Amino acid sequence: MDKFMRIAYEEAMQSRAEGGIPVGAVLVHQDIVIGRGHNRRLQQGNPILHGEMDAIADAGRCPAEVYRSSVLYTTLAPCAMCSGAILLYGIPEVIVGEAVNFPGELALLRSRGVRVTVRNLPECIAMMKNYIAGHCEIWNEDIAR
C-alpha cells in the first residue's frame, strides 16, 4: 500500500472509530495531499458526505487546473454521486483500494476518460466485507438500496 492509499485507509479507519462507514479518500496534487476525508454520513447526518466528497470539500476552492492535474485515492470504488463529482471537477485519475464489495461506477469514469486503477488490496476488501456483514441496513442506506 503506497503512502497516499495508506492515508485514505487511515481516514476510513477514523470513520469506523467514529461509528461511521469505513471509506476514506485523499486528493493529491503534485505529490501533496490537498484534501483528505472520510465517510461522515452517519456522524453528521448528511446523506452526501461520502469519503470522496469529504476529501474534495477538504481541498477547498481550487483552480480548475489543480483538479485537472490531481489524483483521487479512495479505499472503495466511487458511487454514482462521487463519480459525478470526479467528472464535474475533471479529476483525471482515480486509484481505488477495492471494488470487490462494491463495484461503484468505474465503467462510467472510464467511459469519460478517467484513468482508473483498481488495486483490490486485502486490507480494504476485509475492512468493507466486515463492515457490510455487521451493518447491512446502514450500508444499503448509504448506497441507496
Side-chain angles (χ1 to χ4, degrees):
M1 189 179 298
D2 68 35
K3 67 181 178 180
F4 298 124
M5 187 58 74
R6 173 64 57 192
I7 295 168
Y9 184 79
E10 289 168 1
E11 286 287 332
M13 296 301 286
Q14 181 177 343
S15 181
R16 187 69 191 105
E18 294 169 358
I21 299 165
V23 178
V26 294
L27 187 62
V28 177
H29 181 254
Q30 298 178 349
D31 286 329
I32 297 170
V33 173
I34 62 170
R36 60 189 295 161
H38 55 270
N39 189 305
R40 297 175 196 258
R41 192 179 66 79
L42 295 174
Q43 299 92 311
Q44 295 190 11
N46 183 333
I48 64 170
L49 205 44
H50 286 191
E52 298 90 340
M53 303 294 274
D54 195 32
I56 293 168
D58 186 56
R61 292 179 60 197
C62 297
E65 59 268 12
V66 170
Y67 291 115
R68 291 185 185 131
S69 58
S70 292
V71 179
L72 182 73
Y73 290 75
T74 179
T75 58
L76 185 66
C79 70
M81 175 180 64
C82 296
S83 293
I86 291 163
L87 295 173
L88 177 67
Y89 289 102
I91 298 168
E93 185 173 5
V94 178
I95 310 295
V96 178
E98 75 109 333
V100 172
N101 291 292
F102 180 68
E105 295 294 334
L106 303 180
L108 170 64
L109 291 172
R110 288 178 174 131
S111 77
R112 298 283 299 273
V114 177
R115 289 183 310 278
V116 177
T117 303
V118 178
R119 296 201 175 142
N120 281 333
L121 300 168
E123 302 95 329
C124 293
I125 294 168
M127 178 173 55
M128 281 311 300
K129 180 180 179 182
N130 292 336
Y131 183 81
I132 292 168
H135 303 86
C136 289
E137 289 181 28
I138 293 171
W139 171 246
N140 287 334
E141 179 185 314
D142 191 61
I143 57 171
R145 283 193 184 157

